[in-house]
Amino acid sequence: MNKGEQTRLRIVKEAAALLNRHGYQGLAYSDLMAATGLEKGGIYRHFAGKEALATEAFEYAWKRAVEHRQHDLQSIEDSVDRLKQFVSNFVNRRPGVPGGCPLLNTAVDADDGNPELRKHAERALRCWLMALTRLIRRGQRRGEIQSQVDPPKLARLLVSTLEGALMISRLERKPIALLEGENIVRLA
Amino acid sequence: MNKGEQTRLRIVKEAAALLNRHGYQGLAYSDLMAATGLEKGGIYRHFAGKEALATEAFEYAWKRAVEHRQHDLQSIEDSVDRLKQFVSNFVNRRPGVPGGCPLLNTAVDADDGNPELRKHAERALRCWLMALTRLIRRGQRRGEIQSQVDPPKLARLLVSTLEGALMISRLERKPIALLEGENIVRLA
């Protein structure tokens, strides 16, 4: 990576942390300048504008979150154990970018405005649901998951329960809702 | 209600709609002035500042949401039917203030800043969980809900699943996640 690319990545990283905590409206030039030590011109030399920077920042934060949730999954053979590990990763592994789940944050932040950011969040959700659906179908092919289970429906239920429990846990500042969600999903 | 009180209520209503769609940072004086037809001074004659207005706006939106979710509940005798009606209200009744669930929106918006608004959201969640817990305990006393069910845990699971499904439905712009959530909760 050359120096320009390094600077660019540093801006995206700092923007991701600001966006994930404070939303699009709260992604302020002044904070970004303070965090990166760059002037406004130095930041926008690398990006077409705030919206372009925000979508890259979201994609960066989402990529980090996916890495955390996928951690060690491929090394697990049984599909049910893989699903359980995915849930455990969601519950127990701190995400790479502070401020909670980038998908939940951006979904709520962008659903009444910012169509560009909303489009990215919607695609992130679609990819996540598709990956879980594929994993459930794999389990059915291998005889590890019952064939009457509806894969997209189970995927949607997993994501609903986990994201809702994360919202409660963050508001309560206690992990109990997430830990209970983990148990219920394990028993399902 | 005298004229001053009417004006005050009109400001809170408009602020609730803006806050619920665009968050605290997106609650702009200019939009509020356009929506109410008042000058900035005319707005802030009624409130100590933006934070005070935002907390009142949140409480207003939350009260409307609770009314929608509680709709007709008291007329239902059986506790399980009452829980099912609550879920159906959540899924099918449009909330009074546009922009989705005020609790989900404010939880995500305020969890990394705005401690005052966060405190109100945390209390709203606590009251909601307590009301559901009481309803489940009532069902247990009356022999309508099995005694081995853990009331606060079931309450937390209901809220997690519904709020997570609402996030997905709003992002997908399709009600499927909510309708599936409703079915699963009905079967539980």
Side-chain angles (χ1 to χ4, degrees):
Chain A
M1 234 193 261
N2 65 32
K3 210 174 157 228
E5 289 165 337
Q6 280 173 16
T7 304
R8 201 175 191 287
L9 180 61
R10 192 152 56 90
I11 299 168
V12 171
K13 269 188 191 176
E14 296 295 347
L18 289 168
L19 179 73
N20 206 38
R21 275 177 300 163
H22 305 302
Y24 185 77
Q25 299 264 7
L27 175 58
Y29 296 124
S30 52
D31 295 332
L32 203 52
M33 284 156 65
T36 57
L38 295 164
E39 296 296 319
K40 196 168 163 179
I43 294 171
Y44 282 96
R45 202 158 53 85
H46 295 275
F47 303 93
K50 184 175 168 180
E51 192 168 74
L53 172 58
T55 52
E56 277 205 50
F58 167 73
E59 290 296 342
Y60 174 86
W62 180 241
K63 209 174 157 197
R64 295 289 86 73
V66 170
E67 278 167 9
H68 276 77
R69 291 169 193 178
Q70 300 285 99
H71 183 77
D72 265 352
L73 287 201
Q74 296 307 318
S75 67
I76 298 170
E77 204 42 34
D78 183 88
S79 307
V80 176
D81 290 340
R82 218 184 258 194
L83 271 178
K84 284 180 180 171
Q85 184 62 42
F86 155 75
V87 172
S88 170
N89 286 346
F90 186 99
V91 170
N92 299 303
R93 292 180 68 84
R94 288 304 98 222
V97 175
C101 175
L103 176 60
L104 178 63
N105 293 342
T106 302
V108 168
D109 189 38
D111 66 355
D112 295 292
N114 212 320
E116 193 53 31
L117 207 49
R118 194 189 176 285
K119 209 164 68 188
H120 283 255
E122 199 267 326
R123 195 178 56 194
L125 172 64
R126 205 164 58 233
C127 293
W128 189 15
L129 289 173
M130 264 164 48
L132 285 173
T133 299
R134 272 199 303 274
L135 174 51
I136 296 160
R137 289 213 172 103
R138 173 186 182 271
Q140 289 179 323
R141 273 199 313 279
R142 294 164 52 100
E144 295 155 349
I145 294 176
Q146 294 187 324
S147 60
Q148 65 265 39
V149 166
D150 179 330
K153 202 165 160 174
L154 177 56
R156 233 181 259 112
L157 179 70
L158 279 169
V159 172
S160 294
T161 311
L162 290 173
E163 291 287 358
L166 179 64
M167 182 275 277
I168 294 182
S169 283
R170 284 180 60 82
L171 201 50
E172 293 190 332
R173 290 198 175 133
K174 287 185 292 195
I176 186 163
L178 266 176
L179 295 173
E180 284 173 1
E182 181 182 11
N183 273 329
I184 282 152
V185 170
R186 273 173 186 275
L187 297 175
Chain B
M1 234 193 258
N2 65 34
K3 208 173 158 232
E5 288 165 338
Q6 280 172 17
T7 304
R8 200 174 191 286
L9 180 60
R10 191 154 54 91
I11 299 168
V12 171
K13 268 187 191 176
E14 296 295 346
L18 289 168
L19 179 72
N20 207 39
R21 276 176 299 163
H22 305 301
Y24 185 77
Q25 299 264 7
L27 176 58
Y29 296 125
S30 51
D31 294 333
L32 203 53
M33 285 155 65
T36 58
L38 295 165
E39 296 296 318
K40 196 168 163 180
I43 294 171
Y44 282 96
R45 201 159 53 85
H46 294 276
F47 303 92
K50 185 176 168 181
E51 191 168 74
L53 172 58
T55 52
E56 277 204 52
F58 167 73
E59 290 295 341
Y60 175 86
W62 180 242
K63 208 174 157 194
R64 295 289 86 74
V66 169
E67 278 167 10
H68 276 78
R69 291 169 192 177
Q70 300 285 100
H71 183 78
D72 265 353
L73 287 202
Q74 297 306 317
S75 66
I76 298 169
E77 203 44 32
D78 184 87
S79 307
V80 176
D81 289 340
R82 217 184 259 193
L83 271 180
K84 285 180 181 170
Q85 184 61 43
F86 154 75
V87 173
S88 170
N89 286 347
F90 186 99
V91 170
N92 300 302
R93 292 180 68 85
R94 289 302 97 221
V97 174
C101 174
L103 177 59
L104 178 62
N105 293 342
T106 301
V108 168
D109 188 39
D111 67 353
D112 295 292
N114 212 320
E116 193 56 30
L117 207 49
R118 194 190 177 287
K119 208 163 71 187
H120 283 254
E122 200 268 326
R123 195 177 55 196
L125 172 65
R126 205 164 57 233
C127 293
W128 189 14
L129 289 173
M130 265 163 46
L132 285 173
T133 300
R134 272 198 303 274
L135 174 51
I136 296 160
R137 289 214 172 103
R138 172 186 182 272
Q140 289 179 323
R141 274 199 312 278
R142 292 163 53 100
E144 295 154 351
I145 294 177
Q146 294 187 323
S147 60
Q148 65 265 40
V149 166
D150 179 329
K153 203 163 159 175
L154 177 57
R156 234 181 259 111
L157 179 70
L158 280 168
V159 172
S160 294
T161 311
L162 291 172
E163 291 287 358
L166 179 64
M167 183 275 276
I168 294 181
S169 283
R170 284 181 61 82
L171 202 49
E172 293 189 332
R173 289 197 176 134
K174 288 184 292 194
I176 185 164
L178 266 176
L179 295 173
E180 284 173 1
E182 181 181 11
N183 273 330
I184 281 153
V185 170
R186 274 173 186 275
L187 298 174

